[in-house]
Coordinates of all heavy atoms in Angstrom, one line a residue:
I78 N 0.1 -22.0 -3.3 CA -0.4 -22.4 -4.7 C 0.6 -23.2 -5.3 O 1.8 -22.8 -5.3 CB -0.7 -21.1 -5.6 CG1 -1.7 -20.2 -5.0 CG2 -1.0 -21.5 -7.0 CD1 -2.0 -18.9 -5.7
T79 N 0.3 -24.4 -5.8 CA 1.2 -25.3 -6.5 C 1.0 -25.3 -7.9 O -0.1 -25.5 -8.4 CB 1.0 -26.8 -5.9 OG1 1.2 -26.7 -4.5 CG2 2.1 -27.6 -6.4
L80 N 2.0 -25.0 -8.6 CA 1.9 -24.9 -10.2 C 2.3 -26.3 -10.8 O 3.3 -26.9 -10.3 CB 2.8 -23.8 -10.7 CG 2.5 -22.4 -10.3 CD1 3.5 -21.5 -10.8 CD2 1.1 -22.0 -10.6
G81 N 1.6 -26.6 -11.8 CA 1.9 -27.9 -12.5 C 1.4 -29.1 -11.7 O 0.8 -29.1 -10.7
S82 N 1.9 -30.3 -12.3 CA 1.3 -31.5 -11.5 C 2.6 -32.3 -11.0 O 3.7 -32.2 -11.4 CB 0.6 -32.5 -12.4 OG 0.4 -32.1 -13.7

Side-chain angles (χ1 to χ4, degrees):
I78 298 174
T79 305
L80 300 175
S82 352

